[in-house]
Amino acid sequence: MSYNTVGLIGKAAHVGAHASLNALADYLRAKKCTILVEENVAQEMDCDDFTVCDLVTIGKQADLAVVVGGDGNMLGAARVLSRFNIHVVGVNRGNLGFLTDIHPDEVVQQMDLIYNGETMVEQRFLLEVEVYRHEQLKSNNSAVNEVVLHHGKVAHMTEFEVFIDGQFVFSQRSDGLIVATPTGSTAYSLSGGGPILMPHLDALTLVPMFPHTLSSRPIVVDANSTISMRVSKVNSDSVQVSCDSHIVLPVLPGDEIRVSKSNDRLSLVHPADYNYFNVLRKKLGWGSKLF
């Protein structure tokens, strides 16, 4: 692949990320690439032959972005970079690393594969969430993993109704609801008992959070549906909507939250031998012996 301009994005003040960022800069310098470095980590670089810029500029100008960190760093970058025609790959300096494929000890080998074209590029869709009050849009944002309706206080139930494409589905008293993409099906949704969705599925999963009924179960729906959550006016306190646990939108009793598939796509670069089931086995310990 011809990646002439590459953006470097990383976890600030992290020794491991610092080492990987500098190794990447050395590699890209040898390839005579134009290097763009996110402003948050520029001061941690050992060289100065690069351009310091923000994520939007990287999205506009770079052909490839390399995110060094954990899945949280990738999610933060992805919400911005998905708006642009750019490929994204991750170096895992976090914990699980479902979205960051490159092992820190294999940066040079994996980058060689990328520049030799021995990769696959996978499109992941995002969610768009909008909060309406009296039919007027009050706030909106996007999510790679999930949109979560939840109370601002721990162990406080919220009463709300759910509609799919205008059709009433259920009313519920619970701690909230998780609306997850296939990408997010191995994140918070999985912790809540939701199903794992293969990344290429055009589907969403709705996972109730501690519902006050034994009959409430996760449901998988068409990703092209519009999910509407209408917060009952009987709630005494305000609730919240969070995007990937990073961005919080305030919600008042009576508000409506609409969740739909975004037009943006995250173009994830994987090694040529990438296998989703292998990732699940490694990250979730499926291959470990029981005794």
Side-chain angles (χ1 to χ4, degrees), residues 38-285:
E38 184 194 14
E39 52 199 359
N40 291 343
V41 294
Q43 69 276 12
E44 299 178 29
M45 305 294 288
D46 294 338
C47 57
D48 57 6
D49 54 344
F50 54 78
T51 301
V52 180
C53 55
D54 57 18
L55 276 175
V56 171
T57 303
I58 290 176
K60 288 180 177 178
Q61 298 183 6
D63 309 306
L64 174 72
V66 185
V67 181
V68 180
D71 284 341
N73 299 95
M74 176 63 85
L75 292 172
R79 282 192 300 274
V80 177
L81 297 179
S82 61
R83 301 181 346 228
F84 304 98
N85 183 25
I86 183 173
H87 287 178
V88 183
V89 68
V91 177
N92 186 19
R93 282 293 186 178
N95 295 315
L96 276 175
F98 274 98
L99 297 174
T100 48
D101 289 339
I102 298 178
H103 191 279
D105 297 335
E106 300 174 353
V107 168
V108 173
Q109 299 94 313
Q110 294 295 324
M111 290 301 292
D112 277 340
L113 292 177
I114 289 173
Y115 273 89
N116 290 335
E118 299 177 48
T119 58
M120 59 172 287
V121 179
E122 186 179 49
Q123 300 290 319
R124 302 283 185 96
F125 71 82
L126 284 75
L127 295 176
E128 183 75 18
V129 57
E130 300 173 322
V131 178
Y132 287 85
R133 187 168 302 146
H134 307 302
E135 293 298 321
Q136 287 192 328
L137 179 65
K138 303 302 293 185
S139 59
N140 68 293
N141 219 293
S142 61
V144 180
N145 271 353
E146 73 277 309
V147 170
V148 183
L149 171 67
H150 60 97
H151 204 285
K153 298 177 182 178
V154 176
H156 271 63
M157 285 197 170
T158 299
E159 188 170 317
F160 58 95
E161 296 178 331
V162 174
F163 295 77
I164 297 179
D165 292 333
Q167 293 188 324
F168 177 67
V169 182
F170 57 73
S171 59
Q172 189 172 99
R173 292 188 71 245
S174 68
D175 282 11
L177 184 74
I178 303 169
V179 181
T181 64
T183 301
S185 69
T186 52
Y188 193 29
S189 170
L190 185 65
S191 300
I196 295 175
L197 304 181
M198 292 184 67
H200 67 268
L201 288 178
D202 201 21
L204 301 174
T205 179
L206 277 58
V207 181
M209 298 168 60
F210 304 103
H212 201 236
T213 171
L214 297 178
S215 62
S216 199
R217 292 290 183 266
I219 181 173
V220 177
V221 302
D222 191 326
N224 297 295
S225 306
T226 296
I227 313 301
S228 172
M229 295 173 277
R230 301 178 187 177
V231 181
S232 174
K233 293 182 179 180
V234 303
N235 293 295
S236 57
D237 298 312
S238 59
V239 293
Q240 299 174 337
V241 167
S242 66
C243 303
D244 296 335
S245 301
H246 287 179
I247 298 163
V248 176
L249 307 178
V251 177
L252 296 179
D255 285 358
E256 178 185 5
I257 302 100
R258 298 176 192 170
V259 181
S260 57
K261 184 196 286 186
S262 171
N263 292 324
D264 299 332
R265 296 291 183 273
L266 173 65
S267 298
L268 269 183
V269 177
H270 298 295
D273 61 351
Y274 173 81
N275 181 292
Y276 183 65
F277 296 111
N278 185 45
V279 173
L280 293 181
R281 284 192 298 270
K282 288 173 62 178
K283 304 301 183 182
L284 301 179

